[in-house]
């Protein structure tokens, strides 16, 4: 069987084969799935996109990991019809490979849409990552009041225009996402949240269940209360308000009244200074400026540390180090960072978002709250910080939950899903 994996960015093996840098912070599940895939009697090819490849050109490379191609990624890669030359480039690659099946990673870009349009006779399946149709509803992260908006002071007019344009095209991508789904009519997912959305687009879409787990490296590590840094919090990267970092900072302000030395560690490729604080610049994105102003005005400089972009090993170390993990996002599908934290056993607090409620038993293996209610978030963080017994119970239950989740028998192997699609069978689950 010849498989072609198509992704928007050079993530995982594709990036290594092509020696192309990956600037993003997510997508680790692609590497995890690659490692879990048995390649006996199978051949896997990769096609990705990068702005480093000029429009009209195709980069090609072969290594011991496989064969990969890369085409241009437009400056605006979503919400608009891609140029014809890009479609031709993709068609040329697919024609050269002549795969038995194409797996498209996500629906968030024109690359996914193009792949779904090419060669209708070739079977295709989408491995759901995010869902633009859901995500677009939460753009802006509920920063609406005058109190919130004042922290945007100093944002350049150019950056404001850029954000408006991005939001416009982001919402436009809903059309292309729906076209991608109906072109393929095969979806891989592990949650009811995704299934409900896809079925609302078309009842003809066939959903195949394949559980998404944390990388094996997380499974060998266990959080320990006695060894963690007390009164420390670790969270997700977020350059837009939908990730909810502003809500977490509001909660931190409340927590500091009780725990003066509380520390919040924030990962991600922010522009930071030698003290691990945000560095002021004219090119700051609006939400980054919001974070900068809020931290400064509310005297949280000593309580917020930006730790930079982390690799998987550094991520594990921070999960083991922190007292609590918080997922403050208003929009997630899988919330893989949360799944990783639960796998390690970090006491976790999360918003009700995406599929989270499908694997969190509130108050047993983690605690959930409503995104808008930062006061409740502060309350639960303090509750865990002040009660070691609660922290340890959440930890042990989280580890057991993720072990049980991995042992569940409702998850099909990718190879079996591919075979099933090629043979026209339509079953949700394959043993």
């Amino acid at each position: 069987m010849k498989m072609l994996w198509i992704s928007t960015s050079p993530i995982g093996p594709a990036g290594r084969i092509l020696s192309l840098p990956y600037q993003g912070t997510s997508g680790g599940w692609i590497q995890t799935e690659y490692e879990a895939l048995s390649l006996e009697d199978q051949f896997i090819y990769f096609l990705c996109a990068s702005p480093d490849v000029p429009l009209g050109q195709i980069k090609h490379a072969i290594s011991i990991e496989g064969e990969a191609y890369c085409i241009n990624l437009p400056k605006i890669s979503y919400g608009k019809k891609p140029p014809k030359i890009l479609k031709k480039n993709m068609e040329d690659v697919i024609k050269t490979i002549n795969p038995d099946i194409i797996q498209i990673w996500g629906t968030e870009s024109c690359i996914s849409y193009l792949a779904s349009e090419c060669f209708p006779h070739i079977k295709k399946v989408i491995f759901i990552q995010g869902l633009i149709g859901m995500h677009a509803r939460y753009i802006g992260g509920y920063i609406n009041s005058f109190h919130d908006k004042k922290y945007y002071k100093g944002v350049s007019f150019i950056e404001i225009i850029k954000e408006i344009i991005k939001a416009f095209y982001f919402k436009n991508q809903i059309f292309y996402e729906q076209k991608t789904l109906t072109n393929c009519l095969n979806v891989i997912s592990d949650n009811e949240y995704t299934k409900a959305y896809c079925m609302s687009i078309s009842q003809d879409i066939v959903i195949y269940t394949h559980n998404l787990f944390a990388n094996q490296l997380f499974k060998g590590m266990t959080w320990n209360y006695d060894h963690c840094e007390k009164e420390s919090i670790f969270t997700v990267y977020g350059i837009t308000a939908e990730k909810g970092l502003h809500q977490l900072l509001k909660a931190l302000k409340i927590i500091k009244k009780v725990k003066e030395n509380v520390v919040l560690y924030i990962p991600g490729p922010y522009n930071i200074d030698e003290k691990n604080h945000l560095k002021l610049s004219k090119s700051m994105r609006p939400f980054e400026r919001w974070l900068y102003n809020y931290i400064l005005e509310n005297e949280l400089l000593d309580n917020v540390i930006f730790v930079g972009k982390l690799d998987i090993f550094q991520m594990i170390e921070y999960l083991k180090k922190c007292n609590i993990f918080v997922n403050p996002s208003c929009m997630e599908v899988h919330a893989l960072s949360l799944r990783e934290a639960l796998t390690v056993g970090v006491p976790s607090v999360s918003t009700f978002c995406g599929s989270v409620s499908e694997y969190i038993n509130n108050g047993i293996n983690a605690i959930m709250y409503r995104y808008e209610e930062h006061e409740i978030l502060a309350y639960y963080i303090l509750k865990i910080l002040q009660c070691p017994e609660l922290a340890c119970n959440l930890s042990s239950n989280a580890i057991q939950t993720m072990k049980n989740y991995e042992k569940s028998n409702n998850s099909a192997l990718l190879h079996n899903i591919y075979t099933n699609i090629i043979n026209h069978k339509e079953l949700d689950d394959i043993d």
Side-chain angles (χ1 to χ4, degrees):
M1 181 191 299
K2 283 199 292 186
M3 304 168 291
L4 172 59
W5 280 8
I6 297 181
S7 60
T8 297
S9 303
I11 302 173
R16 292 193 296 273
I17 294 169
L18 293 159
S19 299
L20 285 173
Y22 173 54
Q23 302 301 329
T25 59
S26 61
W29 55 85
I30 295 181
Q31 177 63 30
T32 300
E33 293 300 325
Y34 174 74
E35 292 172 2
L37 187 65
S38 172
L39 296 180
E40 186 177 349
D41 299 322
Q42 302 176 72
F43 301 92
I44 186 167
Y45 298 83
F46 304 93
L47 171 59
C48 59
S50 170
D52 294 333
V53 176
L55 181 62
Q57 294 186 23
I58 300 172
K59 185 177 175 66
H60 174 234
I62 302 175
S63 78
I64 58 172
E65 287 192 273
E67 190 168 350
Y69 298 80
C70 189
I71 58 178
N72 174 259
L73 181 67
K75 188 172 183 180
I76 297 178
S77 61
Y78 49 81
K80 61 186 299 188
K81 195 170 184 177
K84 290 182 180 179
I85 184 63
L86 199 62
K87 182 177 181 180
K88 184 181 184 305
N89 292 154
M90 179 170 286
E91 287 175 339
D92 288 345
V93 172
I94 295 175
K95 188 175 181 179
T96 299
I97 297 170
N98 190 27
D100 297 303
I101 190 165
I102 295 174
Q103 178 173 297
I104 302 168
W105 289 93
T107 58
E108 298 96 329
S109 76
C110 65
I111 302 301
S112 302
Y113 168 70
L114 274 182
S116 74
E117 290 273 305
C118 291
F119 302 107
H121 69 280
I122 299 177
K123 297 291 183 179
K124 303 180 185 74
V125 61
I126 303 168
F127 198 121
I128 292 295
Q129 298 181 153
L131 289 172
I132 301 297
M134 301 295 276
H135 191 163
R137 302 173 190 178
Y138 301 95
I139 289 179
Y142 301 125
I143 295 182
N144 294 317
S145 69
F146 172 78
H147 174 76
D148 284 335
K149 286 183 177 179
K150 73 177 183 179
Y151 295 112
Y152 280 120
K153 182 180 179 182
V155 175
S156 72
F157 179 73
I158 292 176
E159 291 302 317
I160 292 174
I161 295 300
K162 284 182 181 178
E163 292 297 306
I164 292 173
I165 293 172
K166 286 178 183 177
F168 171 80
Y169 283 113
F170 193 85
K171 291 179 179 179
N172 244 25
Q173 181 62 21
I174 296 173
F175 168 79
Y176 292 100
E177 176 177 76
Q178 293 180 354
K179 287 288 291 181
T180 302
L181 289 167
T182 54
N183 284 341
C184 296
L185 292 179
N186 294 300
V187 165
I188 297 174
S189 173
D190 70 353
N191 58 82
E192 297 294 314
Y193 179 84
T194 295
K195 292 178 183 179
Y197 177 76
C198 291
M199 296 303 286
S200 74
I201 303 303
S202 172
Q203 291 291 314
D204 293 328
I205 294 175
V206 181
I207 311 292
Y208 296 88
T209 301
H210 175 78
N211 291 347
L212 188 64
F213 306 118
N215 189 282
Q216 287 292 333
L217 293 171
F218 289 91
K219 298 169 189 175
M221 302 296 173
T222 303
W223 179 87
N224 186 302
Y225 179 80
D226 294 330
H227 299 157
C228 77
E229 179 185 316
K230 305 303 182 291
E231 301 179 11
S232 66
I233 304 166
F234 188 52
T235 189
V236 299
Y237 166 65
I239 199 62
T240 59
E242 299 92 90
K243 287 293 184 179
L245 289 183
H246 60 300
Q247 297 293 84
L248 182 51
L249 287 180
K250 292 178 185 178
L252 191 71
K253 180 182 176 182
I254 297 171
I255 295 166
K256 186 178 179 181
K257 296 175 184 177
V258 181
K259 299 285 186 180
E260 186 178 350
N261 296 319
V262 65
V263 175
L264 170 63
Y265 294 105
I266 303 176
Y270 298 95
N271 187 18
I272 56 178
D273 61 22
E274 65 280 356
K275 294 183 179 180
N276 292 99
H277 298 149
L278 287 177
K279 184 184 291 186
L280 184 64
S281 70
K282 291 182 179 179
S283 61
M284 264 185 162
R285 292 183 63 172
F287 184 64
E288 194 174 7
R289 170 72 74 156
W290 193 104
L291 297 175
Y292 176 88
N293 289 339
Y294 189 90
I295 290 169
L296 203 63
E297 183 168 319
N298 292 283
E299 300 180 350
L300 295 173
L301 272 176
D302 294 333
N303 306 94
V304 180
I305 298 176
F306 291 85
V307 297
K309 185 177 178 180
L310 306 178
D311 61 29
I312 191 170
F313 299 101
Q314 294 168 321
M315 186 73 72
I316 290 170
E317 287 307 308
Y318 270 99
L319 286 174
K320 290 171 61 180
K321 173 182 180 177
C322 69
N323 201 155
I324 296 175
F325 174 82
V326 176
N327 168 44
S329 301
C330 64
M331 173 56 207
E332 297 286 338
V333 173
H334 307 98
L336 187 59
S337 293
L338 175 61
R339 296 187 187 199
E340 292 167 347
L342 296 175
T343 299
V344 175
V346 187
S348 299
V349 182
S350 174
T351 53
F352 290 90
C353 64
S355 64
V356 165
S357 62
E358 296 178 37
Y359 55 87
I360 284 185
N361 188 352
N362 190 28
I364 304 299
N365 59 1
I367 296 177
M368 292 190 289
Y369 72 101
R370 291 184 180 88
Y371 169 86
E372 308 94 313
E373 299 170 353
H374 64 272
E375 300 91 347
I376 311 302
L377 171 59
Y379 170 81
Y380 283 134
I381 291 175
L382 280 170
K383 191 173 182 179
I384 296 172
L385 292 180
Q386 294 170 334
C387 184
E389 183 179 358
L390 173 60
C392 292
N393 286 339
L394 290 173
S395 174
S396 59
N397 290 336
I399 293 172
Q400 191 58 51
T401 294
M402 300 316 287
K403 285 181 178 179
N404 293 341
Y405 181 63
E406 187 158 1
K407 291 177 182 177
S408 64
N409 59 7
N410 70 330
S411 181
L413 297 174
L414 286 181
H415 173 267
N416 290 349
I417 292 175
Y418 299 155
T419 301
N420 189 61
I421 293 172
I422 292 171
N423 292 335
H424 305 288
K425 296 176 183 177
E426 297 185 357
L427 300 174
D428 284 350
D429 302 315
I430 316 160
D431 296 328

